[in-house]
Amino acid sequence: MKINQHYLQLEKSYLFTMIGKKVAQFQQQHPEVDIIRLGIGDVTLPLCPAVVEALESASREMGVKETFHGYGPEQGYDFLKEKIAGYYAEKGVTLALDEIFISDGAKSDLGNILDLFDADNTVLIPDPVYPVYVDTNIMAGRKVVFADADASNGFLPLPDENTDADIIYICSPNNPTGAVYDHAGLKAWVDYAKKRDAVILFDAAYESFVADPSLPRSIYEVEGAKEVAIEFCSFSKTAGFTGTRCGYTIVPDALVRGGVALNGLWLRRQTTKFNGVPYIIQKGAAAVFSEEGRRQTLANIDYYRENARILADTLDRLGIRYTGGKNSPYIWMECPNGMKSWEFFDYLLENAGVVGTPGAGFGANGEGYFRLTAFNDHENTEKAAKRIEKLLSK
Amino acid sequence: MKINQHYLQLEKSYLFTMIGKKVAQFQQQHPEVDIIRLGIGDVTLPLCPAVVEALESASREMGVKETFHGYGPEQGYDFLKEKIAGYYAEKGVTLALDEIFISDGAKSDLGNILDLFDADNTVLIPDPVYPVYVDTNIMAGRKVVFADADASNGFLPLPDENTDADIIYICSPNNPTGAVYDHAGLKAWVDYAKKRDAVILFDAAYESFVADPSLPRSIYEVEGAKEVAIEFCSFSKTAGFTGTRCGYTIVPDALVRGGVALNGLWLRRQTTKFNGVPYIIQKGAAAVFSEEGRRQTLANIDYYRENARILADTLDRLGIRYTGGKNSPYIWMECPNGMKSWEFFDYLLENAGVVGTPGAGFGANGEGYFRLTAFNDHENTEKAAKRIEKLLSK
């Protein structure tokens, strides 16, 4: 039996292991320091009451013969797809129910979607980036090229007509940089993809953090995008579902390559290799769109936004350049005084007891940058902000 | 962009669509007939009280900051892995926790595991068979060969030394035939795989239906199996989780090919393309192993077993040959009077109002056979059995 040799080309990621090790070591040497973690991309607020109530009620349904649910449709229940279609309608995007696939999260589908594509395709990925885009393509032996995201383009690279690409990843609001494309930026990518018969994989996991109404929250807000883009979204950041696992993927009927509708291919993939998201969880996700659910989840997002504002204001006062913080839970800051990413990590941990994520861990262009997240308490975020301000204004 | 052309080689499965269409048509023409469905492989009893209580309680935990769970380990929580290790210990199989991966069901992992293998491997699949084994390999362009399961070998094919294979599927108790391998049968496959450096993918989804203590419920009950086999199991049939979605996959540390441990490859696959099963669902699954949960889920299995016995006894009285029914929820019967599968389907529907599944839908060797399932009420099963007996004893 021959194993998939491409797996051996994967680099081991030591980023979060290394962070954990350094923090543990520092805490051991300085047990008195109250370390504040602004490094992790995980939510901290619990599920909102409307969702918990729906989960409990669906659990009870499953215990009664008349309301029990066995195998559901692999692509998800209509009761949830209808809510999602309604959510898109608010953004001015019309979706048919068969264009919506309920998933167990954006990460799974972003990896699994690659099943539909030949190994002989060139993949264009921004740098810095969420590492999963690169790894899932290395696993299949695809050629990967990078689009430089840096200070010169505000970490929002535009298409380079000299670069050939068949599959293009866009994450907006971006992880890790927090930068958000405007309509013109996304339109440039849609046009580029159309010209090349390429497909855009649009990761919208952080869309609910967009506060500026002029910024697109779905790539389908851009004309013609349905012919070139698949969109991935998730309840993880919208409603704190990181441990509850539900998301959705949009494969428009208009997306056809080589005479084949990708919607049909994806349906075949999902009905063959997936058995749907738990009924209980889909009921919980549907409650996110109830009147109460909307109000409660928005309140949580506003809570995180306030944390981002606290951190952004601090950096503004310090005159430190950053992206994100306004329409994103992430703040991507330049390391002060020309420090390198890991150098600043140590400096901040040792002198302020604050943990962030070294930008170098997200790609070559991340060197010299640092990621802070809004996923913490107001109290801790304020404390961390004060410590950062005190340290860096010296 | 080039699509994965292998998808175009997939045959559309019309089996259950065709059944649905024929049944609907018949019901329309004969609205007075009370049709009984013994065709579907889905459970009918609700989740047991111990599981529902655990799901409700975990849902409430998720609504409180102190007990909220965000991202969990992709490979599953130890609290559930420990229960599974305990369950295997009862069968005399010792597993390390890192050999157990919690999944959202056997179907997902049976498809996704193929990521680890090169496209250039020959796959050996029994015929008749659960269609997903074939389709997932066609999607990757692998060569598929079949092992004939038929009356001559009791639908339990043994290795043929003249057949070369790198990846071998075994499902025991089998879907659709209900046949169960004994130790000697599995040992023959383990030895064959070892000699060829092949890997066995062992589907144990129906293991909890094995009542005969002399029959293996895990391939690891066979010596040396840890060096050649990956085992897939599920709470779907054990505890009625078809719509609740939880299973587990065992990749033993001893399974090494080309100097590479498959356990490490699968861990890398899962941490890159999967984000774990919902915390709530894992809590529900753990409750299956509590004292109450064990008692309640066993009672449900006994309920289905009684249905299988009713059907088997009927066929015994009619002198119709079949496999399964004793250690399986499936009964695989010879169509009477030399009828073909679809011919018997029509005959049974039109003359007894009973729906089953034509064996021909599961592969070439299924022609002339018919699958009945134990997943229904006692009342309906008894009614169906009486109608079958009346019709076929004429």
Side-chain angles (χ1 to χ4, degrees), chain B residues 122-305:
Chain B
T122 299
V123 183
L124 181 63
I125 299 179
D127 170 3
V129 77
Y130 176 48
V132 156
Y133 305 156
V134 177
D135 288 352
T136 50
N137 280 291
I138 289 177
M139 284 173 171
R142 282 192 198 86
K143 184 183 165 193
V144 174
V145 295
F146 291 96
D148 285 324
D150 52 34
S152 76
N153 54 31
F155 288 92
L156 293 168
L158 289 175
D160 172 355
E161 293 298 334
N162 299 315
T163 302
D164 258 330
D166 305 303
I167 298 167
I168 300 152
Y169 284 83
I170 300 176
C171 177
S172 177
N174 190 270
N175 176 13
T177 72
V180 188
Y181 278 104
D182 61 11
H183 279 85
L186 288 186
K187 182 73 166 66
W189 281 111
V190 167
D191 291 345
Y192 168 86
K194 199 170 281 181
K195 209 188 277 179
R196 277 173 172 70
D197 231 17
V199 169
I200 293 173
L201 303 180
F202 188 78
D203 184 348
Y206 298 93
E207 61 87 25
S208 57
F209 279 85
V210 175
D212 181 342
S214 80
L215 294 173
R217 296 168 60 166
S218 162
I219 195 166
Y220 305 124
E221 294 179 44
V222 172
E223 212 198 307
K226 281 189 180 174
E227 290 153 48
V228 298
I230 297 174
E231 182 161 301
F232 303 85
C233 203
S234 164
F235 295 94
S236 284
K237 306 297 155 68
T238 305
F241 269 50
T242 51
T244 305
R245 312 302 319 137
C246 195
Y248 48 92
T249 298
I250 314 293
V251 188
D253 289 327
L255 182 53
V256 175
R257 288 295 177 273
V260 180
L262 267 62
N263 183 286
L265 288 190
W266 182 240
L267 179 65
R268 187 63 197 247
R269 194 271 168 205
Q270 291 301 78
T271 51
T272 307
K273 293 195 185 181
F274 186 56
N275 235 328
V277 170
Y279 170 75
I280 296 166
I281 303 297
Q282 291 191 59
K283 276 290 189 183
V288 170
F289 298 102
S290 69
E291 207 185 304
E292 277 192 314
R294 284 294 282 274
R295 195 170 32 76
Q296 294 166 355
T297 51
L298 261 176
N300 286 358
I301 287 171
D302 281 339
Y303 184 93
Y304 295 129
R305 277 182 182 143

Side-chain angles (χ1 to χ4, degrees), chain A residues 153-172:
Chain A
N153 54 30
F155 288 93
L156 293 168
L158 290 174
D160 173 353
E161 293 298 334
N162 299 315
T163 302
D164 259 331
D166 306 303
I167 298 166
I168 301 152
Y169 284 84
I170 300 177
C171 177
S172 177

Side-chain angles (χ1 to χ4, degrees), chain A residues 64-386:
Chain A
V64 177
K65 197 175 174 192
E66 288 68 30
T67 52
F68 172 75
H69 284 73
Y71 289 121
E74 285 93 345
Q75 60 273 42
Y77 281 102
D78 278 354
F79 67 74
L80 178 53
K81 297 208 273 182
E82 280 158 9
K83 298 276 187 189
I84 292 166
Y87 185 61
Y88 272 81
E90 291 173 23
K91 310 180 199 180
V93 176
T94 306
L95 294 179
L97 292 194
D98 75 356
E99 296 179 307
I100 303 169
F101 296 79
I102 308 303
S103 75
D104 62 332
K107 186 183 174 192
S108 304
D109 275 12
L110 276 160
N112 294 335
I113 197 81
L114 297 172
D115 265 24
L116 310 191
F117 308 131
D118 197 284
D120 181 25
N121 279 302
T122 299
V123 183
L124 181 62
I125 300 180
D127 170 3
V129 77
Y130 177 46
V132 156
Y133 305 156
V134 177
D135 289 352
T136 50
N137 279 290
I138 290 178
M139 284 173 172
R142 282 192 198 86
K143 185 183 165 193
V144 174
V145 295
F146 291 97
D148 287 323
D150 53 34
S152 76
N153 54 30
F155 288 93
L156 293 168
L158 290 174
D160 173 353
E161 293 298 334
N162 299 315
T163 302
D164 259 331
D166 306 303
I167 298 166
I168 301 152
Y169 284 84
I170 300 177
C171 177
S172 177
N174 189 270
N175 176 14
T177 72
V180 187
Y181 278 103
D182 61 12
H183 279 82
L186 289 186
K187 183 73 168 65
W189 281 111
V190 166
D191 291 345
Y192 168 86
K194 199 169 282 181
K195 208 187 279 178
R196 278 175 171 69
D197 231 17
V199 169
I200 293 172
L201 304 180
F202 188 77
D203 184 349
Y206 298 94
E207 60 87 25
S208 58
F209 278 86
V210 174
D212 181 344
S214 79
L215 293 172
R217 293 168 62 167
S218 162
I219 195 166
Y220 305 124
E221 294 179 44
V222 172
E223 212 198 306
K226 281 188 180 173
E227 290 153 47
V228 298
I230 297 174
E231 182 161 300
F232 302 85
C233 202
S234 163
F235 294 95
S236 284
K237 306 298 154 66
T238 305
F241 268 51
T242 51
T244 306
R245 312 301 322 139
C246 195
Y248 48 93
T249 297
I250 314 294
V251 188
D253 290 326
L255 181 54
V256 176
R257 289 295 178 272
V260 180
L262 267 63
N263 183 286
L265 288 191
W266 182 240
L267 179 64
R268 187 65 197 247
R269 194 270 168 206
Q270 291 300 80
T271 50
T272 307
K273 293 194 186 182
F274 186 55
N275 235 329
V277 170
Y279 171 76
I280 297 167
I281 303 295
Q282 292 191 60
K283 276 291 189 181
V288 170
F289 299 102
S290 68
E291 207 184 305
E292 277 192 315
R294 284 294 281 274
R295 196 171 29 77
Q296 293 166 354
T297 50
L298 262 177
N300 286 359
I301 287 171
D302 280 340
Y303 184 94
Y304 296 129
R305 279 183 180 142
E306 173 61 12
N307 286 346
R309 192 198 54 76
I310 292 166
L311 294 169
D313 285 357
T314 303
L315 297 180
D316 282 338
R317 280 195 299 276
L318 288 165
I320 291 174
R321 288 196 295 185
Y322 62 92
T323 50
K326 261 127 208 157
N327 297 288
S328 158
Y330 295 126
I331 292 176
W332 181 253
M333 61 180 283
E334 251 182 55
C335 298
N337 309 318
M339 274 190 258
K340 297 210 159 199
S341 295
W342 279 105
E343 198 182 344
F344 183 61
F345 175 90
D346 291 334
Y347 180 74
L348 200 62
L349 176 60
E350 286 163 18
N351 298 289
V354 172
V355 178
T357 313
F362 297 101
N365 288 320
E367 183 58 278
Y369 287 86
F370 200 74
R371 190 187 79 172
L372 298 172
T373 90
F375 297 121
N376 211 317
D377 293 336
H378 284 338
E379 199 195 330
N380 278 326
T381 306
E382 267 168 18
K383 217 191 284 180
K386 275 187 192 139

Side-chain angles (χ1 to χ4, degrees), chain B residues 14-20 22 335 339-348 356-361 367-370:
Chain B
Y14 295 109
L15 180 62
F16 289 96
T17 319
M18 180 91 87
I19 292 174
K22 278 180 176 266
C335 297
M339 275 191 257
K340 297 209 160 199
S341 297
W342 279 105
E343 199 181 341
F344 183 61
F345 175 90
D346 291 334
Y347 181 74
L348 200 62
T357 314
E367 183 58 277
Y369 288 85
F370 201 74

